[in-house]
Amino acid sequence: MFEKSSWIRLPRNVLIGHGVLDRAVEAIDELHLTGRPLIVTSPTPREVAGDRVIEDFGDRGIEPAVIVVEEASFAAVQEVIEAARSEEAGYLIGIGGGKAIDIAKMASDEIGTGFVSVPTAASHDGIVSGRGSVPEGDTRHSVAADPPVAVVADTTVLANAPWELTTAGCADIISNYTAVKDWRLANRLQNVEYSEYSAALSEMTAEMLVGNADSIKRGLEESAWIVTKALVSSGVAMSIAGSSRPASGAEHLFSHQLDRIAPGRALHGHQVGVGSIMVEYLHSGESGRWSAIRDALSSIEAPTTAAELGLDEEEVLEALTSAHEIRDRYTILGNGMNERAAREAATVTGVI
Ligand SMILES: NC(=O)c1ccc[n+]([C@@H]2O[C@H](COP(=O)([O-])OP(=O)(O)OC[C@H]3O[C@@H](n4cnc5c(N)ncnc54)[C@H](O)[C@@H]3O)[C@@H](O)[C@H]2O)c1
Ligand SMILES: O=P(O)(O)OC[C@@H](O)CO
Ligand SMILES: [Zn+2]
C-alpha cells in the first residue's frame, strides 16, 4: 500500500536584486500580515538596512517595534519572544546576518507568527531555509522552524557587505557536494530518509556556483546576485527534504565543533568549506575530488587551510576527531576518526 506523504514549506515572496530593499514594505504588505511588525536586527545591519525599512514603514504610518540582538542563543530567542508578546507584534522581520535571522525565525516559529528574512550578508543558506541553528552546551540544535514568508535580498546591500561574508556564502554552497555524499551514504547504511530531487537540486546549485566562479569577484554586484540565488536554491533543497541533510554533512559537524572549540574565530561558511576538502578526501581518497573542492574555494578567495581560518593544528584535529559526537547525524565519520587518521586527512589535503 502507498502511504508516503510530504509537506513542503516555502517562502511566498522572494525578491532578489538591485535596490529591492526599497520594495520590502510593499512585498510585506502583499502578504496581508496583520499587527505591528517587530524588527529583529543587530547593530551594523540596522545601520545598513534596518533604519531604511523602519523609515519606509513610518511613511505608511506604521511604527515597527525594534529589538537589537548580539548573539545566537536560546536566551536571545526567549528575549525576542518576550518582546514580541509585550509589543503585541503580529509578525517578525529578521534583518542581518545568520544570527539575527535565525533568532527571528525561531522566535516567530515559537509564537506562531510569520517571519520575513532580510539578509544583509550572503553568508550562508539559512537566509531562506526552514531551519534554525543554535549551539547549546556541547551540542548544536538544528531546529525545524517555518521558513520565512518572504525574503528580501538587496544585492546592493549584500555587495557592500565585507567580501569575506560573500565568500563564506559561496563556501557554504560548495560544501553541498560532500553533504549530499554523506546523505546518500546514510541512506544506504542507515535507511535515512532521502530525496533524489532535493539531492539533485543541492548538487546542481553547487555546480552552477562553481561554473560561475569567474564572475564572483570582489566589488561586483553580480557576485552577490549569483551567490544569493544559490543560497535560495539550497534553502529550497532543504525545504524539499524537510531537513538540512542536502546542505549539511560531516563538513558541518566539523564546523559546529569548531564553534565550540574556537568560538568566533572564523565564519560558518569558511569553516564548512575547509571541512568539505577533508570530508571529500575521506569519501574518495587521495586521488579523489578533494583538490577540485580546494581549487573551487581558492578561486573565490575562501580559506582552504587551518591557518587561513585562524586555527592551529590541534584545534583542527580535535574538531575532526570529535565531530561525530555533536549531533545524531550519520556521515562518513561513522563512529569517529582517531587522531592519526585525522592528522593524515588534514595533512594530505594541505589543511594543516
Ligand atoms: N539556519 C541555518 O540553516 C543556518 C545556516 C548556517 C549558519 N547559521 C547560523 O548563522 C550564524 C552565522 O551567520 P553569519 O556568518 O552571517 O554570521 P553573523 O550573523 O554573526 O554575521 C557576521 C557579522 O557580519 C555583520 N554583518 C552582516 N551584514 C553586514 C553588512 N551588510 N555590512 C557589515 N557587516 C555586516 C554582522 O553584524 C556580524 O557582526 C551562526 O549562528 C550559524 O549557526 C544558520
Ligand atoms: O543543520 P545545520 O547543520 O545547522 O546546517 C544548516 C546549514 O548550515 C546548511 O548549510
Ligand atoms: Zn551551512
Side-chain angles (χ1 to χ4, degrees):
M1 194 169 61
F2 184 83
E3 289 184 337
K4 272 186 166 182
S5 65
S6 79
W7 187 335
I8 300 173
R9 292 192 165 92
L10 296 163
R12 187 134 50 103
N13 280 345
V14 179
L15 265 82
I16 309 176
H18 181 79
V20 295
L21 190 64
D22 292 341
R23 305 190 67 188
V25 176
E26 179 191 340
I28 293 167
D29 200 37
E30 251 207 3
L31 298 168
H32 305 296
L33 299 168
T34 52
R36 188 181 183 201
L38 169 65
I39 293 183
V40 181
T41 189
S42 58
T44 310
R46 181 181 181 155
E47 261 173 51
V48 300
D51 286 339
R52 266 168 68 192
V53 176
I54 294 168
E55 215 179 292
D56 288 351
F57 271 115
D59 291 346
R60 293 183 181 223
I62 298 164
E63 191 198 340
V66 181
I67 181 164
V68 176
V69 293
E70 304 279 355
E71 48 153 32
S73 64
F74 282 105
V77 174
Q78 202 48 44
E79 219 182 294
V80 171
I81 291 170
E82 277 156 27
R85 289 192 173 131
S86 70
E87 300 287 352
E88 296 180 2
Y91 60 97
L92 272 57
I93 306 174
I95 304 182
K99 287 180 184 162
I101 288 177
D102 265 4
I103 294 167
K105 186 188 288 181
M106 291 166 71
S108 71
D109 196 64
E110 178 67 29
I111 53 184
T113 63
F115 135 77
V116 177
S117 170
V118 183
T120 57
S123 51
H124 63 78
D125 52 17
I127 60 174
V128 73
S129 75
R131 319 282 320 164
S133 185
V134 168
E136 188 181 52
D138 284 351
T139 167
R140 154 83 50 175
H141 298 273
S142 176
V143 192
D146 273 346
V149 284
V151 182
V152 180
D154 189 324
T155 49
T156 325
V157 173
L158 300 170
N160 280 320
W163 175 238
E164 305 75 62
L165 291 168
T166 308
T167 64
C170 292
D172 202 18
I173 295 298
I174 291 171
S175 82
N176 287 8
Y177 284 125
T178 45
V180 169
K181 283 194 173 183
D182 276 326
W183 194 16
R184 292 201 173 110
L185 184 76
N187 172 254
R188 287 195 294 265
L189 296 184
Q190 302 281 317
N191 293 110
V192 164
E193 203 174 322
Y194 172 76
S195 155
E196 192 58 47
Y197 282 110
S198 167
L201 176 59
S202 176
E203 280 178 326
M204 185 193 74
T205 303
E207 282 299 337
M208 287 184 66
L209 184 106
V210 171
N212 279 308
D214 286 350
S215 305
I216 301 176
K217 292 212 163 57
R218 200 188 284 260
L220 267 191
E221 188 171 337
E222 193 190 350
S223 308
W225 168 256
I226 294 167
V227 181
T228 306
K229 284 185 41 167
L231 297 172
V232 169
S233 172
S234 191
V236 169
M238 289 191 264
S239 289
I240 293 172
S243 92
S244 60
R245 269 285 188 181
S248 170
E251 72 299 315
H252 272 68
L253 300 182
F254 168 74
S255 168
H256 296 334
Q257 272 303 44
L258 285 177
D259 287 342
R260 290 186 45 240
I261 295 164
R265 202 77 66 76
L267 290 167
H268 167 85
H270 291 164
Q271 293 176 172
V272 302
V274 171
S276 202
I277 301 173
M278 296 185 286
V279 172
E280 179 61 38
Y281 164 81
L282 298 179
H283 274 286
S284 59
E286 198 163 346
S287 57
R289 286 196 67 212
W290 61 267
S291 54
I293 292 187
R294 182 199 55 196
D295 295 348
L297 291 168
S298 294
S299 76
I300 46 108
E301 299 180 7
T304 59
T305 65
E308 286 168 349
L309 289 177
L311 298 167
D312 63 32
E313 270 185 40
E314 295 317 312
E315 287 165 331
V316 167
L317 297 182
E318 190 189 338
L320 264 184
T321 50
S322 61
H324 64 290
E325 291 165 1
I326 198 162
R327 144 205 240 189
D328 183 21
R329 172 159 292 197
Y330 191 86
T331 69
I332 191 75
L333 297 173
N335 293 327
M337 295 179 78
N338 65 28
E339 198 190 321
R340 210 167 133 200
R343 186 176 289 282
E344 186 162 330
T347 309
V348 172
T349 53
V351 169
I352 61 172

